[in-house]
Amino acid sequence: MYNFSVRYHDGRLSIAHDATLTLMPDHWLIHYRDPSGELTSVRWALQGISTDENFSNLFIFRYGEFPQQTIECKEDSLPQILRKRYPEKVFFRRRITDIFKLNNTTIVGVALAVLMLMGLGYWFGLPWLAGAAASRFPVSTEVQLGDTMYENMIRAYDVDQGLTAVTNDFAKAIDFKTHYPIRITVVKDKEANAFALPGGRIVVFDGILRKMHTKEELAALLAHEVSHVHYRHSLRNIFRSLGGYLFLSLLLNDINGVVTVLADNSNMLANLTYSRELETEADSKGMAIFKANRLDLKGFVDLFTVLKSARGEVESLKLLSTHPLTADRLRAAEEMVKGQGQVREDERLERKWEAIENELK
């Protein structure tokens, strides 16, 4: 039986465990003690093990799908024993070291080519990779992340508890067609602003509520923000903005590292800009919510009009820095109103809107 001292990462936590690796005929066994002190065993099937190539005497092995488990071993005898123990499986390919056999000119050329490819990958491949990683982010972790970001950034605001309560009550009367838990906080600020955090947190400034005249305007604002949550726009934007940091964390299979990077940069949300494509997607989803609830789509036109009057010319207007309001979006909303069928007067929603108006007084 062959035993080696290794460092084991379970792929979920950022901490590493001192462990013992035992080489069995068709699998590896890893024994370690978890943070509670309980002895734990992990089984790696031989065919699922891959090796990281590097120039040092640190041998790194990975196992499973993302986030992968890893073990690190420094014992020099390991490669020889692996070849002897598993002659049918190749763990180490030393082709990467052949570069040192080339002449200096070739080495410089290869190095420049590698740097160029890395640069192209960073500028063009990294945004796509960050977006793809965000789309695969577990919903439960996203909700937890949003809560952490909320706690970090809400300290900078004065929360209006009364308006928060009645606005959440208002939102509960609307079926937003999403599986995310929608939680709204109203803060005291004169600016006509609102923004969405990952996982269902929405922050509304009371300045925008004081400029509204109908329940449909508020419903339109919330439907739009919920759509950003539903399509994970905030998370995707943050991943792209922090792509370099997140790429390193993902490369190291450090989910906790990803969460930490995002949480530490929670205040950057106010400076992120959604693309026109994401804004259009959120508008479309928001209007679909209106149709499903048979609410008057004129609420979107009225909301955009309120924002236009609050911020000036439509082409330069922004709802926060994250919601560029263009003439195209206004025209699209007006066209949707023309094509809308029968709407219903929601008396229950009207009463909840009146409660908000009373609170504003």
Side-chain angles (χ1 to χ4, degrees):
M1 185 175 295
Y2 302 93
N3 294 314
F4 295 90
S5 296
V6 298
R7 295 279 287 171
Y8 170 68
H9 302 256
D10 62 12
R12 299 186 306 273
L13 303 176
S14 58
I15 62 174
H17 306 278
D18 290 321
T20 299
L21 169 65
T22 301
L23 305 181
M24 306 301 290
D26 63 347
H27 64 276
W28 291 3
L29 283 179
I30 303 162
H31 307 279
Y32 69 98
R33 292 191 180 277
D34 63 20
S36 67
E38 182 178 350
L39 185 61
T40 304
S41 297
V42 178
R43 187 182 188 276
W44 285 15
L46 200 62
Q47 62 271 22
I49 301 171
S50 60
T51 311
D52 279 6
E53 292 192 25
N54 59 78
F55 296 103
S56 70
N57 63 345
L58 179 66
F59 306 108
I60 303 174
F61 303 90
R62 300 186 183 274
Y63 185 79
E65 298 181 354
F66 178 87
Q68 290 181 308
Q69 304 171 54
T70 62
I71 56 174
E72 302 170 355
C73 181
K74 293 184 177 180
E75 297 193 27
D76 295 334
S77 62
L78 181 60
Q80 181 179 355
I81 292 177
L82 287 178
R83 285 191 290 269
K84 178 180 178 181
R85 182 68 165 161
Y86 310 107
E88 72 286 352
K89 182 174 177 62
V90 177
F91 285 96
F92 299 97
R93 301 179 186 276
R94 300 200 175 274
R95 295 174 185 170
I96 193 169
T97 60
D98 291 343
I99 189 172
F100 294 109
K101 300 176 182 178
L102 304 175
N103 58 50
N104 290 341
T105 302
T106 305
I107 291 176
V108 171
V110 171
L112 290 175
V114 169
L115 289 174
M116 185 178 296
L117 288 174
M118 289 176 64
L120 291 173
Y122 183 88
W123 291 110
F124 297 103
L126 193 56
W128 174 87
L129 178 63
S135 67
R136 296 181 62 186
F137 209 63
V139 171
S140 59
T141 307
E142 182 185 0
V143 172
Q144 180 183 2
L145 168 66
D147 289 344
T148 301
M149 296 176 73
Y150 170 83
E151 294 297 333
N152 285 348
M153 70 187 311
I154 203 63
R155 300 169 189 155
Y157 298 102
D158 184 7
V159 176
D160 190 315
Q161 299 294 347
L163 274 175
T164 294
V166 292
T167 304
N168 275 285
D169 189 48
F170 179 91
K172 290 175 182 177
I174 303 173
D175 182 2
F176 289 109
K177 306 296 182 183
T178 185
H179 55 276
Y180 283 95
I182 302 303
R183 293 155 295 167
I184 302 164
T185 301
V186 179
V187 299
K188 298 175 182 179
D189 195 296
K190 294 180 180 179
E191 199 168 357
N193 289 346
F195 59 88
L197 291 149
R201 291 278 190 179
I202 294 173
V203 177
V204 178
F205 291 16
D206 70 345
I208 194 170
L209 293 179
R210 297 183 186 280
K211 296 181 183 298
M212 293 179 176
H213 303 287
T214 67
K215 61 183 180 297
E216 287 81 9
E217 293 170 44
L218 177 55
L221 175 69
L222 297 180
H224 183 87
E225 294 300 333
V226 169
S227 299
H228 280 308
V229 172
H230 182 81
Y231 288 124
R232 314 181 107 176
H233 289 169
S234 296
L235 188 66
R236 287 159 61 181
N237 251 14
I238 297 169
F239 265 80
R240 289 180 182 130
S241 180
L242 296 174
Y245 298 102
L246 298 176
F247 179 75
L248 292 176
S249 294
L250 291 171
L251 192 66
L252 297 173
N253 296 317
D254 187 2
I255 292 297
N256 274 11
V258 173
V259 173
T260 300
V261 168
L262 295 179
D264 287 347
N265 289 271
S266 54
N267 289 323
M268 67 177 284
L269 264 186
N271 296 313
L272 289 179
T273 301
Y274 289 132
S275 69
R276 183 168 298 183
E277 177 186 0
L278 296 188
E279 285 295 346
T280 300
E281 188 175 39
D283 284 346
S284 298
K285 170 71 174 175
M287 292 179 191
I289 291 171
F290 259 54
K291 287 183 176 180
N293 287 268
R294 294 173 59 194
L295 296 172
D296 191 345
L297 279 167
K298 189 174 180 295
F300 272 90
V301 178
D302 292 340
L303 172 65
F304 292 161
T305 302
V306 166
L307 295 173
K308 179 180 179 181
S309 65
R311 296 295 184 86
E313 292 301 318
V314 69
E315 289 297 340
S316 62
L317 180 137
K318 290 186 178 183
L319 173 58
L320 268 185
S321 58
T322 62
H323 299 274
L325 181 59
T326 66
D328 290 339
R329 292 176 65 199
L330 274 172
R331 285 193 294 269
E334 291 168 345
E335 289 300 317
M336 291 295 291
V337 171
K338 294 177 183 178
Q340 186 176 20
Q342 186 177 5
V343 298
R344 67 184 175 91
E345 180 56 41
D346 192 327
E347 295 182 0
R348 184 172 66 129
L349 197 63
E350 181 66 31
R351 289 194 299 270
K352 294 179 183 297
W353 168 246
E354 290 174 356
I356 293 175
E357 288 185 311
N358 291 332
E359 193 68 35
L360 286 168
K361 294 176 184 178

